[in-house]
Amino acid sequence: MKSVFEARQTMALTHLLYVSEAIGPMSTEDLETIHSVSSYNNRKALITGVLFYSAGQFVQLLEGDEADVHRLFETISADPRHRDVRVLLDEPIDRRLFGDWDMGLLDLTRHGSADRAKLDELVRLAGRGLCMDDGTPLEMEILSRFCMLLPAG
């Protein structure tokens, strides 16, 4: 049986990856509230994705119909809980990376400092057109490294 997200494959899919700085420290409860509201709203808009939080920074990937993703991103950009919103990737995709998730959440404050330090450095360098040694755009490497820390499921 196809999910609702798979059923709308005829739309022009895009993914948008952005980083931002939290206005203040985010508690577990704050993040759970964001996750709950985002999951509900994303499900209604047929948007999938994942949100990461580390050392006062958010990294989020949104996937879905291009117009819907951009409309949601405008709302997210205006949210007073963060600032310095920077788009790292905004490009068409053939298929979703997180088709089964209306919004995944990973709080890296629960992970080791080595994981956080690597990712924080990548995020700091993002948006400058840099690539890894193998030619992978830095922004996709960030996403890949974050995803390696996601719980299996």
Side-chain angles (χ1 to χ4, degrees):
M1 175 181 231
K2 284 187 177 183
S3 71
V4 174
F5 301 114
E6 292 172 322
R8 280 192 58 186
Q9 287 300 317
T10 56
M11 69 177 110
L13 290 176
T14 193
H15 66 202
L16 188 146
L17 177 69
Y18 76 88
V19 297
S20 65
E21 182 183 332
I23 292 298
M26 290 279 132
S27 68
T28 299
E29 293 78 23
D30 294 332
L31 294 172
E32 287 299 326
T33 298
I34 291 169
H35 178 248
S36 175
V37 171
S38 297
S39 292
Y40 176 78
N41 291 334
N42 289 1
R43 197 173 312 113
K44 287 190 328 185
L46 299 178
I47 291 176
T48 56
V50 63
L51 173 67
F52 302 97
Y53 175 75
S54 174
Q57 287 194 304
F58 293 106
V59 177
Q60 185 171 23
L61 178 77
L62 302 169
E63 306 173 311
D65 176 73
E66 182 178 15
D68 294 338
V69 166
H70 289 149
R71 191 171 19 261
L72 175 60
F73 180 69
E74 285 179 29
T75 301
I76 290 170
S77 296
D79 190 311
R81 292 173 288 194
H82 67 157
R83 63 179 173 238
D84 300 329
V85 179
R86 291 187 297 136
V87 173
L88 303 179
L89 281 176
D90 184 3
E91 60 188 23
I93 55 173
D94 294 328
R95 64 180 177 78
R96 296 171 189 261
L97 297 173
F98 299 100
D100 294 333
W101 295 17
D102 36 64
M103 183 50 60
L105 171 66
L106 181 63
D107 179 1
L108 288 175
T109 58
R110 299 178 185 183
H111 285 264
S113 60
D115 288 333
R116 287 195 318 269
K118 285 180 206 170
L119 289 167
D120 291 343
E121 178 65 10
L122 289 172
V123 168
R124 188 182 68 74
L125 295 172
R128 299 181 184 175
L130 301 174
C131 292
M132 302 300 291
D133 290 340
D134 66 358
T136 301
L138 184 61
E139 294 77 14
M140 291 309 290
E141 183 67 15
I142 291 168
L143 184 58
S144 173
R145 288 186 187 219
F146 272 121
C147 291
M148 288 188 313
L149 299 174
L150 288 170

